[in-house]
Amino acid sequence: MSAVNEVRDSYDVAVVGAGPAGLTAATACAAAGLATVLFDEQPAPGGQIYRAITQTPVQRASILGNDYWYGARLVRDFQASRAQYVPGATVWSLSREREIGVSTGGAARLTQAKRVIIATGALERPFPIPGWTLPGVMTAGAGQILLKSGAMVPQGRTLLAGCGPLLWLLAWQYLNAGVKIDAILDTTARASRSAAWPHAPAFLFSPYFRKGLRLMLSVRRRTKVIAGVTGLRAEGNSRLQQVAYRTADGAEIRLPADTLLLHQGVVPNVNLAMSVGIEHRWDDDQLCWVPVVDGYGGTSVDGVAIAGDGAGIAGAWAAEERGKLAALAAIRALKPDTRQDILPDEANIRLALAKVERGRLFLDRYYQPAASFRIPRGDTIVCRCEEVTAQQIIDTVALGCTGPNQMKSFLRCGMGPCQGRLCGLTVTELMAQTRGVPPAEIGHYRLRPPVKPITLGELAALPKDEAAIKAVVRG
Amino acid sequence: MFQRLPDAGDLAVAITIDGKPVKARAGDTVAAALFAAGIDHCRTTPVSGTPRAPYCMMGVCFECLVTIDGVGNRQACLVPVQEGMSVETQRGKREIGR
Ligand code: FES
């Protein structure tokens, strides 16, 4: 454990996030003798994919599966390295000069790095259906985190709904743990499936193909899957009581439910990268903002790279390789005379990367969620923090708002504590649809530091030098 | 509604939730401990007063805001439980002075 006062004034390399990309990046940089720190918001290393891998209370290894336990190696290598690990640390600001504001345990510090590698990974795509704010409704990822980190599983009537690999993986893990799943409401869109077929041949050679198929068959054998779901509603009085769903043939059906786990894919967690002004583009396959990066994760901001799913969704195995590539660029820049045998082996990395990225486009297209699940209407809540509905946002377009930044000054949408993480994509697509222009033209919220709320007390407790005062004034 | 798997280990950490004593597992986050204790919601919203519960469990949604040891608006899904910790669910806006 490392407290905030162990954070030094400067480092060669600062890595943010301890998932596969952050772990391999920090390990490689430290191996080359660079003074390396890894800041992680979670209490233990592994990111979300290998969450709690050093301390999970899940006893039977077969519940979580081999692909989870594989992550232990990455953590072991990292722990054996000389990189400093700061868990429970929230990075709330990053400047173009690579000054980092970080808080842990209620105290804040500023530190400086020659290179920054952002490895903040992915978050689940918003799933704005009516009733998604009711207690009893949560993301499939949240359900999986409770399983990995607390050996906790839903009790009572349990429904999973949505589309994407994580939904099936969670179902498989729950069934392995003996959880009864009442039904999986599969929202995979017919149009997306057909759009994916041209890319199927490439996917046959993906390591994900056989695994995915086996897992889905195993789930289908053991639980009821309702395919072709085109509408979903969570209902209840102050907590979830039932889920109403609709399929293509129109009839609405209600299922009683205590827990509804929602998932429709993951998207890059862009807040920190956007706040430092890194250029992003709209990705028409993944339907989200993706930072513009070079072959080593380098961005439009000098000395700041992005590795892993934060640079575009490609999965955990790719993240591991992309972390090494970002490290390689940092080592070459800061210690060009590093011996070849200490440097990550680029040829090998590129080979491994090509293998795991093969057929990715098939997955992206196949699981592209239907517009009706991405772009809500009426009084469905879009911004959970400020309780702003789809219709309210549509109305601001009629008032002349062209993008999220004008809109938010009317509605406070996106200005709550989550800072647009749970509504940003919905707002962009909703405004694009209403105005009849591409999402790229609408843009995203302008994000500024602090990218996570911090208290005045934390700021006031900063060591009072000029940098500290500057940070507060700028913030 | 969540329950622990039978072999999930000892509940060795004593905390209080809204004054009631609760046992948690070392390594639980406060949000996990809330679920394990059967707490249905951890706050009501400042805007309309509707109940909310942790939604993402990974620090992005801020639905899990609670008061921990007197400090309001802490993200329950990011804070590990500690012996003697006092957790209070939040009603509406944060009360002045916290
Ligand atoms: S549950 Fe989403 S931030 Fe804690």
Side-chain angles (χ1 to χ4, degrees), chain A residues 52-394:
Chain A
I53 190 136
T54 52
Q55 52 185 39
T56 178
V58 177
Q59 297 295 325
R60 266 190 297 134
S62 61
I63 291 180
L64 295 173
N66 289 340
D67 289 347
Y68 173 74
W69 295 107
Y70 166 84
R73 208 197 63 203
L74 302 184
V75 173
R76 261 198 314 271
D77 289 352
F78 168 71
Q79 285 171 335
S81 81
R82 285 207 300 270
Q84 184 186 358
Y85 177 53
V86 189
T90 296
V91 170
W92 44 265
S93 84
L94 169 63
S95 76
R96 287 184 162 267
E97 295 73 36
R98 295 177 304 283
E99 182 186 68
I100 297 164
V102 59
S103 281
T104 162
R109 274 289 178 287
L110 294 170
T111 182
Q112 180 74 43
K114 293 185 187 132
R115 306 284 288 205
V116 173
I117 299 174
I118 298 176
T120 48
L123 51 86
E124 289 175 89
R125 178 190 295 283
F127 205 142
I129 55 164
W132 69 311
T133 53
L134 284 171
V137 182
M138 57 164 59
T139 70
Q144 199 189 38
I145 288 167
L146 278 168
L147 173 61
K148 289 173 181 171
S149 62
M152 286 169 56
V153 294
Q155 106 192 99
R157 291 155 304 185
T158 304
L159 298 175
L160 273 61
C163 61
L166 177 62
L167 196 74
W168 295 97
L169 176 60
L170 178 67
W172 182 77
Q173 291 171 330
Y174 273 172
L175 293 167
N176 295 346
V179 175
K180 180 171 178 300
I181 299 172
D182 288 73
I184 300 176
L185 303 170
D186 183 357
T187 65
T188 310
R190 194 176 298 166
S192 307
R193 288 206 307 252
S194 350
W197 280 121
H199 306 279
F203 187 63
L204 291 178
F205 297 98
S206 160
Y208 289 106
F209 170 66
R210 281 162 157 278
K211 277 178 193 289
L213 196 64
R214 205 171 327 129
L215 193 134
M216 273 173 80
L217 290 174
S218 155
V219 169
R220 282 176 184 283
R221 258 201 315 273
R222 291 186 282 169
T223 197
K224 182 159 106 188
V225 178
I226 298 164
V229 171
T230 54
L232 268 178
R233 200 141 34 95
E235 298 175 333
N237 214 336
S238 77
R239 98 166 310 283
L240 177 72
Q241 282 159 335
Q242 57 194 4
V243 173
Y245 73 92
R246 203 180 270 286
T247 51
D249 54 31
E252 193 171 60
I253 297 169
R254 285 193 164 71
L255 295 173
D258 299 302
T259 304
L260 170 65
L261 296 146
L262 293 173
H263 179 78
Q264 52 178 353
V266 295
V267 295
N269 189 352
V270 294
N271 279 50
L272 185 62
M274 278 198 175
S275 77
V276 62
I278 285 168
E279 189 190 338
H280 284 67
R281 63 177 176 85
W282 179 263
D283 187 306
D284 281 317
D285 290 307
Q286 300 191 343
L287 299 175
C288 57
W289 300 106
V290 173
V292 178
V293 294
D294 64 23
Y296 299 90
T299 69
S300 60
V301 173
D302 193 37
V304 180
I306 307 179
D309 273 355
I313 304 303
W317 294 333
E320 180 183 332
E321 306 303 332
R322 291 153 101 192
K324 293 180 209 162
L325 288 172
L328 185 59
I331 300 165
R332 281 187 186 142
L334 300 177
K335 251 190 156 192
D337 52 353
T338 301
R339 282 204 337 259
Q340 204 61 34
D341 58 318
I342 295 173
L343 275 181
D345 179 348
E346 183 165 359
N348 260 336
I349 297 170
R350 299 251 174 235
L351 220 62
L353 200 54
K355 196 171 140 211
V356 295
E357 284 183 339
R358 203 173 295 154
R360 182 78 223 173
L361 207 51
F362 175 81
L363 281 181
D364 290 346
R365 295 260 167 94
Y366 193 91
Y367 287 123
Q368 196 176 80
S372 55
F373 290 115
R374 304 191 323 264
I375 309 173
R377 36 192 87 252
D379 54 11
T380 301
I381 286 181
V382 170
C383 168
R384 300 174 59 107
C385 297
E386 299 292 330
E387 298 176 65
V388 178
T389 66
Q391 190 57 47
Q392 283 177 287
I393 294 166
I394 293 170

Side-chain angles (χ1 to χ4, degrees), chain A residues 41-43 48 51 57 59 122-123 132-133 135 137-139 142 145-146 149-155 177 238-239 258-259 384 387 417-418 421-422 452-453, chain B residues 1-5 7-8 25 27-29 32 35-36 40-41 45 47-48 50-63 65 75 77-78 80:
Chain A
E41 197 168 42
Q42 307 301 330
Q48 301 309 334
R51 173 91 185 218
Q59 297 295 325
L123 51 86
W132 69 311
T133 53
V137 182
M138 57 164 59
T139 70
I145 288 167
L146 278 168
S149 62
M152 286 169 56
V153 294
Q155 106 192 99
S238 77
R239 98 166 310 283
D258 299 302
T259 304
R384 300 174 59 107
E387 298 176 65
C418 97
R421 287 169 176 87
L422 272 280
K452 282 261 178 158
Chain B
M1 288 194 284
F2 280 79
Q3 62 185 357
R4 291 180 200 272
L5 292 175
D7 48 0
R25 202 187 56 84
D28 275 352
T29 59
F35 277 120
D40 204 59
H41 62 275
T45 61
V47 182
S48 68
T50 51
R52 294 284 175 89
Y55 179 74
C56 76
M57 291 300 286
M58 57 177 277
V60 296
C61 75
F62 291 77
E63 293 290 10
L65 299 179
Q75 283 176 277
C77 71
L78 291 180

